[in-house]
Amino acid sequence: MTRDRQDDAPEPHPPRADAREPADQDLGGEPACMLDRVCPACGRLADAAPPTTCPRCGAAVGDVG
């Protein structure tokens, strides 16, 4: 019995569920660096984007006034 070469070819797999989305889509999310939200006084990460005040110690975070 002779096998065809097509029988030896692997079957194509469906895309994985965790596969990356195309690069042209904006997926959102957090920025890579949130250093501007770190309180200079106590080191806590602020809940809001600067300028704001630290919810723990009340220090200015970012360009507060």
Side-chain angles (χ1 to χ4, degrees):
M1 183 162 141
T2 306
R3 295 178 70 183
D4 291 285
R5 286 185 167 222
Q6 292 177 349
D7 291 340
D8 293 337
E11 292 185 26
H13 296 286
R16 293 180 9 196
D18 62 345
R20 293 183 178 196
E21 295 291 323
D24 62 337
Q25 290 184 349
D26 182 18
L27 300 178
E30 294 180 354
C33 180
M34 295 176 55
L35 190 58
D36 62 338
R37 289 189 180 201
V38 177
C39 174
C42 71
R44 184 178 192 271
L45 191 64
D47 297 328
T52 189
T53 56
C54 177
R56 179 187 292 158
C57 70
V61 178
D63 296 324
V64 177

